[in-house]
Amino acid sequence: MTTENTNTKDIRNLSFDDINNFVISNKLKKFRAKQIYSWLWKKKVSSFDEMTDLSNDLRALLKKEFRFDVIKPAFDQKSKDGTIKTAFRLLDNEIVEGVLIPSKERTTACLSSQVGCSLSCKFCATAMLKYKRNLTASEIFDQASYISKLSKEHHDRDLSSYVLMGMGEPLFNYNNVIEFINLLTAPDLGGVSPKRITISTAGVVKKIRQLGDDNIKTNLAISLHTANNEKRSKLMSINRSNPIEDLIKAIVYFHKKTQTRVTFEYLLLNKFNDSIKDAEELAIFCKNFPCKINLIEYNHFDKSNFKQSDKYNAIKFLDFIKSKNIIVNLRRNKGSDISAACGQLANIKS
Ligand code: SF4
């Protein structure tokens, strides 16, 4: 973390309008606001000294008025399948994890949105960590920037996609997540298409509706894992206050507003949600909207009561869903040997 002045505000917590107001109140040339903003979010520098087309006087003024906080990686762990998990140390000494997931033609950054998580999904290792706080937009942005560098270094290509699927529930940190997305997608800054970004939620009904109202054009993934209310309430505490009937209505609303096809994540858990009856319930649920299913192999971790479905049941489940003409993939989880796979982000060693 670079901290140039501990008594002042972090410049990266300022909006463009805030920087513009600073420029006006200091009687600087109008174009300076755009220049400073571009150094921060397009050229992604980590100190005022790197803003080389600003005069020394202006850089000195910025240093006097603002801090410049950038989160740095604490350490990386590399899986035998090429997945790299990075632990980032935050200014308050908390740690969050981000993951680079490579495949043949793509690289994906999986990003955290909170320190810990307030939800208690039974299959998830992050749930064991106490919720501490939301990440700021710049803390999410710094994870993405670092993982993007890893993608270049190890695979010689830019990131293909970004998923907010790491630690935390992104929709409980709505404003900062949307601010991060705006920084990444603004045509004069990151220029990333919203269709390369996925917000993954446990199913916060009110906020799914808000995504529709705000016309957020990213992809939306819902951690569903069962279409049966009783089972889902056992698995995911959020289902007690946001049951499946309400989730369906919110997704219909989101789809109507954004025309975006929603993806459902479905971890196949041995003898819990992997029978043909479970597949039938899922197929009926899917009739409500255009959607896609990702069936995911589960990675067991210590303290988890769940096990991976056996191959035979997984294939039977997949074939049943396919027979209902629903788009479905069966995914192998990556990075399980370094606890970087879906639902495993918690074994932080500092
Ligand atoms: S699955 Fe997501 S929402 Fe659920 S406990 Fe884990 S991090 Fe939180």
Side-chain angles (χ1 to χ4, degrees), residues 115-331:
V115 180
C117 188
S118 56
L119 294 178
S120 50
C121 306
K122 292 279 189 303
F123 52 82
C124 175
T126 309
M128 314 258 168
L129 303 176
K130 231 174 115 195
Y131 166 78
K132 298 272 181 64
R133 67 172 176 87
N134 284 333
L135 296 188
T136 62
S138 60
E139 286 170 331
I140 306 172
F141 190 89
D142 289 343
Q143 294 173 60
S145 299
Y146 179 74
I147 296 171
S148 165
K149 274 189 213 149
L150 290 180
S151 174
K152 276 269 184 209
E153 260 169 54
H154 292 264
H155 303 278
D156 196 25
R157 67 171 93 110
D158 290 326
L159 284 169
S160 328
S161 50
Y162 303 77
V163 295
L164 284 141
M165 212 179 265
M167 300 164 84
E169 166 51 60
L171 295 188
F172 283 162
N173 186 13
Y174 190 92
N175 292 345
N176 292 344
V177 164
I178 298 302
E179 201 186 320
F180 158 71
I181 289 167
N182 289 339
L183 290 169
L184 203 61
T185 55
D188 52 347
L189 299 175
V192 171
S193 159
K195 288 296 164 213
R196 288 169 51 201
I197 304 170
T198 300
I199 299 176
S200 173
T201 174
V204 187
V205 162
K206 210 171 131 197
K207 294 293 176 184
I208 293 172
R209 287 176 172 271
Q210 193 176 342
L211 287 171
D213 287 334
D214 294 344
N215 202 18
I216 301 297
K217 291 291 190 188
T218 61
N219 300 308
L220 179 64
I222 315 272
S223 291
L224 185 70
H225 311 309
T226 166
N228 178 301
N229 248 333
E230 211 178 304
K231 281 191 188 184
R232 197 164 189 267
S233 291
K234 278 187 197 152
L235 195 64
M236 304 172 75
S237 53
I238 192 168
N239 198 68
R240 291 177 211 140
S241 49
N242 294 253
I244 286 177
E245 314 76 74
D246 294 354
L247 190 58
I248 290 172
K249 284 185 208 146
I251 296 167
V252 168
Y253 183 81
F254 170 81
H255 179 260
K256 205 170 139 202
K257 291 272 184 170
T258 63
Q259 299 305 308
T260 301
R261 181 197 298 268
V262 171
T263 299
F264 294 104
E265 307 289 342
Y266 196 107
L267 281 166
L268 286 166
L269 305 170
N270 189 39
K271 296 192 177 135
F272 181 81
N273 64 357
D274 62 348
S275 69
I276 289 300
K277 184 166 180 292
D278 293 305
E280 277 167 5
E281 285 177 341
L282 178 59
I284 292 168
F285 171 87
C286 288
K287 281 192 185 151
N288 290 294
F289 17 62
C291 64
K292 187 179 122 188
I293 309 286
N294 283 336
L295 299 176
I296 308 165
E297 283 184 354
Y298 183 62
N299 288 293
H300 176 80
F301 58 92
D302 288 349
K303 298 187 189 154
S304 165
N305 294 324
F306 296 103
K307 291 208 173 80
Q308 197 175 92
S309 288
D310 68 47
K311 292 268 176 302
Y312 177 74
N313 283 346
I315 298 297
K316 256 179 47 184
F317 196 105
L318 173 75
D319 288 346
F320 181 88
I321 298 293
K322 271 190 190 159
S323 75
K324 298 293 171 190
N325 294 323
I326 297 166
I327 305 169
V328 58
N329 297 301
L330 178 57
R331 292 214 167 151

